[in-house]
Each structure stands twice: as C-alpha cells, then as structure tokens.
Amino acid sequence: MKKIPVLEIFGPTIQGEGMVIGQKTMFVRTGGCDYRCSWCDSAFTWDGSQKAELLTAEEIVNRLRETGGTSFNHVTLSGGNPALHQGIEEVIAMLKDEGVRTAVETQGSIWQDWMIDIDDVTISPKPPSSRMKTDWEKLDHYINHLKDRPGKRTSIKVVIFDESDLRYAEAVHSRYPDVPMYLQTGNPHLDAAEGEWLLKQLLLNYEWLVNQVIASDRLNEVKVLPQLHTLLWGNKQGV
C-alpha cells in the first residue's frame, strides 16, 4: 500500500464550506500542496511548520474509526491538495466497502483517476487575490471527466475577497454554466482570536459579498455562503 502524508484526522464535525456545508463529516487532512495561495488558511500543510505522518489506507481508516467511532458515514479529504496522493484511491475503496461516502476539495490542478469515485467533488480554482494562475486546460479536464457521474455530485467553489475575484468568478461561471457554483467569503483575519470582533468582521464580509451578487446580472445562478466553521470556531485548527 502507498503511504499518504497525513497531518490530522478529526471529527465528527460539520463541513463549513461549499455544496456540502453543514454536512456531518470526519476530516482527513493530507500534507503538501502545489499552490502557495497568499491567503491560505491551512499553510501548515505545506510550509513545514507541522510534520505529517505517513499512513497506509488501512491505518487511515482505522484511525477514523478510533476517532469517530460509529458516529459518521461521511469523510472529507482535505489539504493542502489531496490530489497529490495516488494512495487515496485505496482509502476511498475501503470507505465505500463500509458504506461511508466521501468528499474532496481540490483546485483542479492535478488529476487523479480516483476523483471519479468520490461522492462529492468540490473544484475550487483560485482567484486573483490568491496570486496563483489558473490552468484552464487542466480545469476543463476536471469538469469534462466529472460531469457525468450518476448519483455523485460535482460543484465549483470560488473564494471571494474583492471585486477582481468577483470578475474572475463571473468568467468561471460563464465557462462552466451547467456546473453548480458556490461563492464564499474569504477570511483575511487568520491571526485573530475567536470572539465578537472576528465574528463581526466575517459577517460584514459576508454581507458585502451577498450585496455584490444581488447587484450582478451575471451571477444569477450561484449560491453565496459564509465560511461556517469560522463563524463557529474562528481560526481554530482541527474542528
């Protein structure tokens, strides 16, 4: 079995982002990322500040059961970028055999065939504020390979910090009009302690984004979300 670098396994908790927001889930956070987004809220997955543990698929599934018991039937693969790791295919197969559904979020920059077997795939291309550049051919590849999967879901999520990000989201939506799209507020206050000040700022950001989308004639078919976990727990890790 291929070993996978894992930084944390936690839950059950709720998913705070994208089309499965509010879903009760366990998290497996893998190490490593091919991007270096300027506002990354999980930079510890690639900046060397935390050390990953190399685990086999069997060890990951056992750890999920040790941590979550029987209180879950959904697992989210997160990162970093989980698509760096081929060995995740074995994790998905083992969870499927146990009747556990899976979700993943990736920027759509690296393709793995195991993506086809994931129940909920969120593709999250990065807008200008991230200082990353979108490879549209790779993004096309993702959309084309995931669009026809009976019983499984694919969506696009774009994090919005400013008006340039909104223009980017409009371009993405125009390119893939048939793919469900979610816009979500970013968190520019990664060093802030949880509390009333942070909550107020996050809600103000959400209100701004809602108002921008309401005024847009090009974003009529999108859903607008906050980062639910930051509203509940601020910048805490492992929740």
Side-chain angles (χ1 to χ4, degrees):
M1 282 189 175
K2 297 182 179 70
K3 291 195 173 184
I4 301 160
V6 176
L7 281 154
E8 54 183 354
I9 293 175
F10 62 92
T13 183
I14 59 165
Q15 172 60 263
E17 303 187 353
M19 67 177 170
V20 288
I21 191 168
Q23 169 70 51
K24 182 180 179 182
T25 190
M26 294 289 292
F27 274 87
V28 177
R29 189 181 297 281
T30 61
C33 191
D34 51 317
Y35 276 18
R36 298 292 184 268
C37 295
S38 62
W39 37 251
C40 180
D41 61 1
S42 53
F44 61 89
T45 62
W46 50 262
D47 66 6
S49 61
Q50 296 186 29
K51 187 176 180 180
E53 183 179 4
L54 291 174
L55 300 176
T56 65
E58 184 176 8
E59 289 170 331
I60 290 171
V61 173
N62 287 342
R63 194 79 61 87
L64 283 164
R65 286 302 178 194
E66 290 169 5
T67 305
T70 58
S71 297
F72 69 94
N73 59 11
H74 188 276
V75 172
T76 299
L77 303 163
S78 185
N81 185 3
L84 289 170
H85 311 297
Q86 291 182 353
I88 287 177
E89 180 177 10
E90 296 163 349
V91 178
I92 298 164
M94 293 179 69
L95 291 173
K96 184 177 181 180
D97 287 344
E98 293 189 11
V100 176
R101 293 179 294 116
T102 51
V104 72
E105 180 174 324
T106 178
Q107 57 262 41
S109 57
I110 297 173
W111 173 258
Q112 295 283 0
D113 287 340
W114 54 254
M115 285 285 171
I116 293 172
D117 296 320
I118 295 280
D119 294 290
D120 301 313
V121 178
T122 296
I123 306 168
S124 184
K126 306 308 178 187
S129 62
S130 71
R131 300 178 190 166
M132 298 294 105
K133 185 176 181 180
T134 299
D135 187 321
W136 295 102
E137 289 186 6
K138 290 181 178 179
L139 203 53
D140 288 346
H141 181 89
Y142 254 82
I143 298 299
N144 291 334
H145 280 72
L146 293 174
K147 63 183 179 182
D148 297 317
R149 300 185 307 141
K152 302 184 186 299
R153 300 188 296 172
T154 303
S155 69
I156 294 172
K157 185 195 81 176
V158 179
V159 177
I160 305 296
F161 281 85
D162 55 34
E163 290 187 7
S164 66
D165 290 351
L166 275 168
R167 302 292 84 77
Y168 174 86
E170 290 174 348
V172 173
H173 192 44
S174 295
R175 192 178 183 97
Y176 312 113
D178 297 326
V179 182
M181 186 174 192
Y182 297 78
L183 302 186
Q184 185 170 294
T185 51
N187 176 12
H189 309 293
L190 298 178
D191 296 324
E194 63 273 9
E196 290 186 8
W197 182 87
L198 178 59
L199 180 60
K200 180 179 179 180
Q201 297 306 311
L202 294 172
L203 289 173
L204 286 172
N205 292 346
Y206 183 47
E207 183 180 19
W208 173 83
L209 180 56
V210 167
N211 288 335
Q212 293 295 313
V213 173
I214 288 172
S216 172
D217 59 2
R218 299 180 63 187
L219 295 171
N220 293 339
E221 297 295 334
V222 305
K223 295 179 174 62
V224 188
L225 302 177
Q227 273 192 324
L228 185 57
H229 57 286
T230 61
L231 295 179
L232 291 171
W233 300 298
N235 291 312
K236 287 182 180 178
Q237 183 181 335
V239 291

